[in-house]
Amino acid sequence: ALFLEILTSPRDPETVLRWMNESTVFGRFIPDFRRVVAQMQFDMYHHYTVDEHSIRAIGLLADISRGKLKKDHPLSTAMLQQIVSKRVLFVATLLHDIAKGRGGDHSVLGARDVRVFCKQHGISAADTQLIEFLVANHLLMSHVAQKQDLTDPDVLNAFASRIGSERYLIGLYLLTVADIRGTSPKVWNAWKGKLLEDLFRTAQRVLGGAAVASDAVVDSRKRDALSILALNA
Protein backbone atom coordinates (compact mmCIF):
# COMPACT_ATOMS: atom_id res chain seq x y z
CA ALA A 1 0.00 0.00 0.00
CA LEU A 2 2.85 2.38 0.83
CA PHE A 3 4.58 1.62 -2.48
CA LEU A 4 1.39 2.36 -4.45
CA GLU A 5 1.02 5.58 -2.48
CA ILE A 6 4.58 6.59 -3.42
CA LEU A 7 3.97 5.67 -7.06
CA THR A 8 0.91 7.88 -7.41
CA SER A 9 2.11 10.71 -5.18
CA PRO A 10 1.29 14.19 -6.52
CA ARG A 11 4.66 15.41 -5.30
CA ASP A 12 7.68 13.78 -6.95
CA PRO A 13 7.41 10.00 -7.42
CA GLU A 14 10.20 10.02 -10.02
CA THR A 15 12.83 11.10 -7.50
CA VAL A 16 11.69 8.63 -4.84
CA LEU A 17 11.62 5.74 -7.34
CA ARG A 18 15.12 6.68 -8.53
CA TRP A 19 16.38 6.68 -4.93
CA MET A 20 14.81 3.27 -4.40
CA ASN A 21 16.36 2.00 -7.63
CA GLU A 22 19.86 3.32 -6.91
CA SER A 23 19.81 1.82 -3.41
CA THR A 24 18.62 -1.58 -4.85
CA VAL A 25 15.46 -1.44 -2.71
CA PHE A 26 13.29 -1.26 -5.82
CA GLY A 27 14.73 -4.43 -7.35
CA ARG A 28 14.40 -6.30 -4.08
CA PHE A 29 10.79 -5.23 -3.70
CA ILE A 30 9.91 -6.09 -7.32
CA PRO A 31 12.38 -8.79 -8.43
CA ASP A 32 11.23 -8.67 -12.06
CA PHE A 33 12.21 -4.99 -12.21
CA ARG A 34 15.73 -5.84 -11.08
CA ARG A 35 16.18 -7.72 -14.38
CA VAL A 36 15.85 -4.49 -16.42
CA VAL A 37 18.04 -2.30 -14.21
CA ALA A 38 20.84 -0.77 -16.34
CA GLN A 39 19.62 -2.75 -19.36
CA MET A 40 20.62 -0.93 -22.54
CA GLN A 41 18.23 -0.53 -25.48
CA PHE A 42 20.04 -0.70 -28.80
CA ASP A 43 17.80 1.22 -31.16
CA MET A 44 17.55 4.71 -32.61
CA TYR A 45 14.74 5.83 -30.28
CA HIS A 46 15.64 4.93 -26.70
CA HIS A 47 18.11 7.26 -25.06
CA TYR A 48 17.89 5.66 -21.61
CA THR A 49 18.19 2.23 -20.03
CA VAL A 50 14.93 0.33 -19.48
CA ASP A 51 14.69 1.15 -15.78
CA GLU A 52 15.50 4.83 -16.28
CA HIS A 53 13.01 5.09 -19.15
CA SER A 54 10.23 3.62 -17.00
CA ILE A 55 10.99 5.92 -14.06
CA ARG A 56 11.13 8.96 -16.34
CA ALA A 57 7.76 8.01 -17.83
CA ILE A 58 6.29 8.04 -14.31
CA GLY A 59 7.82 11.47 -13.77
CA LEU A 60 6.22 12.76 -16.95
CA LEU A 61 2.79 11.55 -15.86
CA ALA A 62 3.28 13.20 -12.48
CA ASP A 63 4.24 16.49 -14.18
CA ILE A 64 1.20 16.27 -16.47
CA SER A 65 -1.00 15.51 -13.49
CA ARG A 66 0.27 18.63 -11.71
CA GLY A 67 -0.41 20.75 -14.80
CA LYS A 68 3.28 21.48 -15.44
CA LEU A 69 3.09 20.35 -19.09
CA LYS A 70 -0.32 21.76 -19.94
CA LYS A 71 1.06 23.88 -22.79
CA ASP A 72 2.62 20.88 -24.53
CA HIS A 73 -0.03 18.35 -23.52
CA PRO A 74 -3.43 20.02 -23.03
CA LEU A 75 -5.39 16.86 -23.87
CA SER A 76 -3.30 14.67 -21.57
CA THR A 77 -3.68 17.18 -18.76
CA ALA A 78 -7.46 17.17 -19.18
CA MET A 79 -7.68 13.38 -19.45
CA LEU A 80 -5.59 12.82 -16.32
CA GLN A 81 -8.14 14.82 -14.37
CA GLN A 82 -10.92 12.60 -15.70
CA ILE A 83 -9.25 9.21 -15.35
CA VAL A 84 -11.01 6.89 -12.93
CA SER A 85 -7.86 5.49 -11.31
CA LYS A 86 -4.42 7.06 -11.50
CA ARG A 87 -3.08 3.99 -9.76
CA VAL A 88 -4.01 1.83 -12.77
CA LEU A 89 -2.23 4.18 -15.17
CA PHE A 90 0.89 4.59 -13.06
CA VAL A 91 1.28 0.84 -12.42
CA ALA A 92 0.88 0.10 -16.14
CA THR A 93 3.43 2.78 -17.01
CA LEU A 94 5.94 1.51 -14.47
CA LEU A 95 5.65 -2.09 -15.69
CA HIS A 96 5.12 -1.64 -19.44
CA ASP A 97 8.71 -2.64 -20.36
CA ILE A 98 9.41 -4.95 -17.45
CA ALA A 99 9.86 -8.02 -19.67
CA LYS A 100 12.36 -6.49 -22.11
CA GLY A 101 15.43 -8.55 -22.86
CA ARG A 102 13.93 -11.95 -22.11
CA GLY A 103 13.33 -12.95 -25.72
CA GLY A 104 9.89 -13.07 -27.26
CA ASP A 105 7.29 -10.32 -27.22
CA HIS A 106 7.98 -8.19 -24.14
CA SER A 107 4.42 -6.82 -24.24
CA VAL A 108 2.90 -10.32 -23.89
CA LEU A 109 5.44 -11.44 -21.30
CA GLY A 110 4.99 -8.21 -19.36
CA ALA A 111 1.23 -8.69 -19.21
CA ARG A 112 1.82 -11.97 -17.39
CA ASP A 113 4.06 -10.25 -14.85
CA VAL A 114 1.31 -7.69 -14.30
CA ARG A 115 -1.12 -10.35 -13.12
CA VAL A 116 1.35 -11.46 -10.44
CA PHE A 117 2.10 -7.89 -9.33
CA CYS A 118 -1.58 -6.97 -9.09
CA LYS A 119 -2.42 -10.07 -7.07
CA GLN A 120 0.44 -9.34 -4.65
CA HIS A 121 -0.68 -5.73 -4.23
CA GLY A 122 -4.40 -6.36 -3.78
CA ILE A 123 -5.48 -4.64 -6.98
CA SER A 124 -9.05 -5.45 -8.04
CA ALA A 125 -9.86 -7.82 -10.90
CA ALA A 126 -11.27 -5.02 -13.08
CA ASP A 127 -8.21 -2.82 -12.57
CA THR A 128 -5.89 -5.78 -13.13
CA GLN A 129 -7.60 -6.48 -16.43
CA LEU A 130 -7.08 -2.89 -17.56
CA ILE A 131 -3.42 -2.79 -16.48
CA GLU A 132 -2.82 -6.07 -18.28
CA PHE A 133 -4.45 -4.68 -21.43
CA LEU A 134 -2.37 -1.50 -21.31
CA VAL A 135 0.91 -3.38 -20.93
CA ALA A 136 0.04 -5.91 -23.62
CA ASN A 137 -0.98 -3.15 -26.06
CA HIS A 138 1.29 -0.26 -25.08
CA LEU A 139 2.78 -0.05 -28.61
CA LEU A 140 -0.56 -0.25 -30.42
CA MET A 141 -1.60 3.40 -30.47
CA SER A 142 1.76 4.79 -31.61
CA HIS A 143 1.94 2.13 -34.33
CA VAL A 144 -1.52 2.92 -35.68
CA ALA A 145 -1.05 6.69 -35.42
CA GLN A 146 2.35 6.80 -37.13
CA LYS A 147 2.25 3.87 -39.55
CA GLN A 148 -1.33 3.45 -40.69
CA ASP A 149 -3.74 5.59 -42.71
CA LEU A 150 -5.83 7.63 -40.30
CA THR A 151 -8.17 8.62 -43.13
CA ASP A 152 -9.18 4.97 -43.64
CA PRO A 153 -12.46 4.17 -41.82
CA ASP A 154 -11.50 0.49 -41.64
CA VAL A 155 -8.30 1.34 -39.76
CA LEU A 156 -10.13 3.63 -37.34
CA ASN A 157 -13.00 1.22 -36.72
CA ALA A 158 -10.61 -1.69 -36.17
CA PHE A 159 -8.60 0.34 -33.65
CA ALA A 160 -11.70 1.44 -31.73
CA SER A 161 -13.03 -2.13 -31.74
CA ARG A 162 -9.79 -3.44 -30.26
CA ILE A 163 -9.83 -0.80 -27.51
CA GLY A 164 -13.44 -1.47 -26.61
CA SER A 165 -14.21 1.34 -24.16
CA GLU A 166 -13.42 4.98 -23.46
CA ARG A 167 -11.77 4.09 -20.16
CA TYR A 168 -9.32 1.81 -21.94
CA LEU A 169 -8.76 4.45 -24.65
CA ILE A 170 -7.89 7.19 -22.15
CA GLY A 171 -5.49 4.88 -20.32
CA LEU A 172 -3.75 3.81 -23.52
CA TYR A 173 -3.47 7.37 -24.80
CA LEU A 174 -1.85 8.62 -21.59
CA LEU A 175 0.53 5.66 -21.40
CA THR A 176 1.52 6.18 -25.05
CA VAL A 177 2.31 9.86 -24.48
CA ALA A 178 4.46 9.07 -21.43
CA ASP A 179 6.17 6.18 -23.21
CA ILE A 180 7.12 8.22 -26.28
CA ARG A 181 8.28 11.28 -24.33
CA GLY A 182 10.22 9.08 -21.94
CA THR A 183 12.38 7.48 -24.63
CA SER A 184 14.52 10.51 -25.41
CA PRO A 185 14.57 14.30 -24.92
CA LYS A 186 14.25 14.73 -28.69
CA VAL A 187 11.80 12.05 -29.81
CA TRP A 188 8.55 13.92 -29.07
CA ASN A 189 7.30 16.53 -31.53
CA ALA A 190 4.08 18.34 -32.47
CA TRP A 191 3.48 16.05 -35.45
CA LYS A 192 3.43 12.91 -33.28
CA GLY A 193 1.27 14.66 -30.75
CA LYS A 194 -1.24 15.67 -33.42
CA LEU A 195 -1.43 12.15 -34.88
CA LEU A 196 -2.10 10.65 -31.45
CA GLU A 197 -4.70 13.28 -30.61
CA ASP A 198 -6.48 12.79 -33.96
CA LEU A 199 -6.59 9.04 -33.40
CA PHE A 200 -7.79 9.49 -29.83
CA ARG A 201 -10.62 11.86 -30.74
CA THR A 202 -11.79 9.76 -33.68
CA ALA A 203 -11.74 6.55 -31.65
CA GLN A 204 -13.61 8.34 -28.86
CA ARG A 205 -16.36 9.29 -31.32
CA VAL A 206 -16.54 5.75 -32.71
CA LEU A 207 -16.79 4.28 -29.21
CA GLY A 208 -19.60 6.76 -28.58
CA GLY A 209 -21.54 5.37 -31.53
CA ALA A 210 -20.56 7.79 -34.31
CA ALA A 211 -19.68 6.59 -37.79
CA VAL A 212 -16.36 7.43 -39.40
CA ALA A 213 -16.76 9.42 -42.61
CA SER A 214 -13.61 9.31 -44.72
CA ASP A 215 -14.37 12.63 -46.43
CA ALA A 216 -14.73 14.37 -43.07
CA VAL A 217 -11.40 12.96 -41.90
CA VAL A 218 -9.65 14.12 -45.07
CA ASP A 219 -11.18 17.60 -44.76
CA SER A 220 -10.02 17.82 -41.16
CA ARG A 221 -6.47 16.86 -42.16
CA LYS A 222 -6.49 19.48 -44.92
CA ARG A 223 -7.54 22.17 -42.48
CA ASP A 224 -4.78 21.13 -40.09
CA ALA A 225 -2.20 21.24 -42.89
CA LEU A 226 -3.33 24.69 -44.00
CA SER A 227 -3.09 25.96 -40.42
CA ILE A 228 0.47 24.65 -40.09
CA LEU A 229 1.45 26.21 -43.43
CA ALA A 230 -0.04 29.54 -42.36
CA LEU A 231 1.98 29.49 -39.13
CA ASN A 232 5.19 28.90 -41.07
CA ALA A 233 4.52 31.32 -43.90
Side-chain angles (χ1 to χ4, degrees):
L2 179 58
F3 176 75
L4 292 176
E5 184 178 333
I6 291 170
L7 183 63
T8 57
S9 170
R11 295 181 180 178
D12 188 7
E14 179 181 356
T15 297
V16 179
L17 290 174
R18 188 169 286 112
W19 287 342
M20 291 176 65
N21 194 36
E22 291 173 353
S23 64
T24 75
V25 172
F26 201 168
R28 294 171 186 273
F29 184 66
I30 306 177
D32 284 329
F33 194 85
R34 183 166 50 193
R35 299 169 70 175
V36 298
V37 171
Q39 184 181 114
M40 298 298 297
Q41 305 187 74
F42 299 99
D43 57 48
M44 62 185 295
Y45 301 108
H46 288 83
H47 186 78
Y48 308 107
T49 56
V50 177
D51 57 327
E52 179 64 14
H53 161 66
S54 300
I55 292 172
R56 282 178 177 270
I58 290 294
L60 285 164
L61 286 179
D63 285 345
I64 292 172
S65 180
R66 293 196 297 268
K68 292 180 65 176
L69 298 175
K70 188 174 183 179
K71 182 178 179 180
D72 292 337
H73 298 285
L75 178 59
S76 296
T77 302
M79 290 299 101
L80 253 172
Q81 305 309 314
Q82 296 180 27
I83 197 167
V84 176
S85 173
K86 289 184 181 179
R87 182 173 67 175
V88 167
L89 175 63
F90 279 62
V91 169
T93 301
L94 182 69
L95 303 180
H96 74 282
D97 278 346
I98 199 168
K100 274 199 168 179
R102 297 187 201 170
D105 188 334
H106 76 282
S107 300
V108 175
L109 296 173
R112 296 175 188 169
D113 291 342
V114 160
R115 289 195 291 269
V116 176
F117 178 93
C118 291
K119 184 176 181 180
Q120 292 173 337
H121 290 76
I123 296 175
S124 70
D127 285 350
T128 297
Q129 187 175 12
L130 175 51
I131 296 169
E132 185 178 345
F133 172 86
L134 294 176
V135 172
N137 294 278
H138 71 271
L139 299 175
L140 173 64
M141 195 166 192
S142 60
H143 174 80
V144 173
Q146 297 180 52
K147 297 184 178 181
Q148 297 192 38
D149 183 3
L150 298 187
T151 65
D152 185 343
D154 290 338
V155 169
L156 298 169
N157 285 320
F159 174 75
S161 177
R162 185 164 173 179
I163 300 302
S165 75
E166 186 175 23
R167 185 184 185 216
Y168 276 48
L169 176 65
I170 292 173
L172 186 59
Y173 172 75
L174 291 168
L175 171 53
T176 303
V177 170
D179 188 18
I180 294 176
R181 276 207 63 157
T183 57
S184 164
K186 300 179 180 179
V187 74
W188 181 266
N189 55 48
W191 173 73
K192 291 179 181 177
K194 188 66 171 64
L195 289 177
L196 288 173
E197 183 173 339
D198 286 348
L199 180 56
F200 173 86
R201 293 192 183 282
T202 303
Q204 189 178 42
R205 290 195 295 271
V206 173
L207 291 170
V212 178
S214 57
D215 290 343
V217 175
V218 172
D219 289 342
S220 174
R221 306 285 281 182
K222 286 180 179 177
R223 288 194 298 271
D224 291 339
L226 288 171
S227 298
I228 293 171
L229 289 171
L231 289 173
N232 291 279

